Amino acid sequence: DTVVLDKTGTLTVGIPQISFTRTAKGVDEKEMILLAASAEQHSVHPLAVAIQKYVKEHGWTTPQHTDSKTIVARGMLAEVPDFETYKGGTIRVGSKKFLAESGVKDTEGLIDSSLAGKNLLYVARGTKLLGVIGIEDPIRPAMKKTLNQMRRYGIDEIVMLTGDSKAVAAKVAQDMDIDAYHAEILPEDKSNYVNKLKQRGTVMMVGDGINDAPALAFADVGVSLGGRQTDIAAESSAVTIHGEDPARLMEALELGRRT
C-alpha cells in the first residue's frame, strides 16, 4: 500500500545534463568546468558524469588532480595543480551547504532568486566561489502514468526520497502528484524512512543506486529499476527490472498479486 521512490535514476532518467553555467568576474567557464571535472574525475555520481560529458563535448582535457576526497553527502574536495593558463588550488565541488561549512562566501551575489528550484553544483577555489553549474535530469517518460496506474491499483501513498535540495524536490513532487517527499537526506537516512513507513503499511522501495541498497533491503519489497543499477542494489532487492521502462513496475505488482 506504500511505494517509496528514490529520485535520481529512478523517477528521473539518471542521465543529468548541464543546462547552464554562471561564473564569478574574471573566471572563464572553461576554467570552472575543468577544475570541477578534475575534482570529480573518479566519481561515478550522475552529476559528475554530466560534467565529464560536457568536457568531452567541448573537446577539452581534464587536468589531473594530485589528491581527491569524497565528502559524503556534501561533494568532492581536491588539490588541482595549475594547468594551461589557469590557476589550480584547493577545489571544492558540491552542495551549497558544503561550501558554506567550508567558509566559502558568495561575495558577488551569483546566487539569486532566479536559481530557486534548480539543481546546482557549486565550485570554489580556496574560499572563493568560482561559479555554479546548473544541472537538469529529466523525469522518465511514462513515470507519471505509472504512478497513476498504481493509485488505481490500490497504492495509498507514494513517497519520494532524495538527497537534492528541498526546492528541487518540491518541484518534482508537485509535477508528479507525489503525496510526500523528504529532501536533503543522507543515504543512511533512506532506510530509517523506510522503517518508519513499514510501521503503518507494506512498503515497496524502488531505487537504483549504491546508496539505496540498505533501504531496498529493509523494505518489504525492494525493487531495483534501470539498466544501469549497481550490483549491490540488484543484490539487496527482491525484484530486479533490467529495463528503463517504469511500466514494468506495474507488471511486477500485478504478477505479485496474481502469484
Side-chain angles (χ1 to χ4, degrees), residues 79-124:
E79 290 297 329
V80 181
D82 297 350
F83 64 99
E84 294 177 26
T85 56
Y86 304 120
K87 203 166 132 264
T90 302
I91 307 300
R92 287 180 177 84
V93 185
S95 65
K96 192 176 188 176
K97 196 174 188 177
F98 175 39
L99 269 59
E101 287 169 353
S102 312
V104 176
K105 294 194 170 41
D106 177 19
T107 49
E108 293 182 25
L110 281 177
I111 320 305
D112 56 32
S113 57
S114 70
L115 299 180
K118 293 193 173 9
N119 212 347
L120 304 172
L121 262 184
Y122 296 78
V123 185

Side-chain angles (χ1 to χ4, degrees), residues 15 66 97 149 162 185 194 258:
I15 310 175
T66 50
K97 196 174 188 177
Q149 286 173 330
T162 178
I185 59 173
V194 167
R258 284 212 303 277

Side-chain angles (χ1 to χ4, degrees), residues 109-155:
L110 281 177
I111 320 305
D112 56 32
S113 57
S114 70
L115 299 180
K118 293 193 173 9
N119 212 347
L120 304 172
L121 262 184
Y122 296 78
V123 185
R125 177 169 48 214
T127 56
K128 180 178 162 57
L129 181 67
L130 297 179
V132 287
I133 301 172
I135 293 185
E136 270 179 352
D137 184 9
I139 298 283
R140 277 180 191 274
M143 186 47 108
K144 187 161 185 191
K145 189 176 165 192
T146 300
L147 298 186
N148 291 340
Q149 286 173 330
M150 282 181 176
R151 289 186 197 285
R152 287 202 293 276
Y153 204 61
I155 302 291

Side-chain angles (χ1 to χ4, degrees), residues 4-138:
V4 180
L5 299 149
D6 164 55
K7 181 176 115 21
T8 305
T10 302
L11 269 175
T12 62
V13 181
I15 310 175
Q17 299 135 13
I18 291 182
S19 53
F20 69 90
T21 59
R22 195 179 275 191
T23 57
K25 277 188 199 75
V27 177
D28 285 355
E29 182 195 58
K30 184 180 179 183
E31 174 182 6
M32 175 185 71
I33 295 277
L34 287 179
L35 286 169
S38 181
E40 296 268 16
Q41 205 165 11
H42 301 302
S43 172
V44 290
H45 191 281
L47 301 185
V49 175
I51 295 174
Q52 287 150 10
K53 197 169 134 219
Y54 195 78
V55 168
K56 210 171 172 180
E57 282 165 5
H58 284 75
W60 298 337
T61 307
T62 303
Q64 293 290 330
H65 54 245
T66 50
D67 186 37
S68 81
K69 195 159 120 195
T70 302
I71 313 294
V72 177
R74 295 288 188 273
M76 297 295 290
L77 173 64
E79 290 297 329
V80 181
D82 297 350
F83 64 99
E84 294 177 26
T85 56
Y86 304 120
K87 203 166 132 264
T90 302
I91 307 300
R92 287 180 177 84
V93 185
S95 65
K96 192 176 188 176
K97 196 174 188 177
F98 175 39
L99 269 59
E101 287 169 353
S102 312
V104 176
K105 294 194 170 41
D106 177 19
T107 49
E108 293 182 25
L110 281 177
I111 320 305
D112 56 32
S113 57
S114 70
L115 299 180
K118 293 193 173 9
N119 212 347
L120 304 172
L121 262 184
Y122 296 78
V123 185
R125 177 169 48 214
T127 56
K128 180 178 162 57
L129 181 67
L130 297 179
V132 287
I133 301 172
I135 293 185
E136 270 179 352
D137 184 9

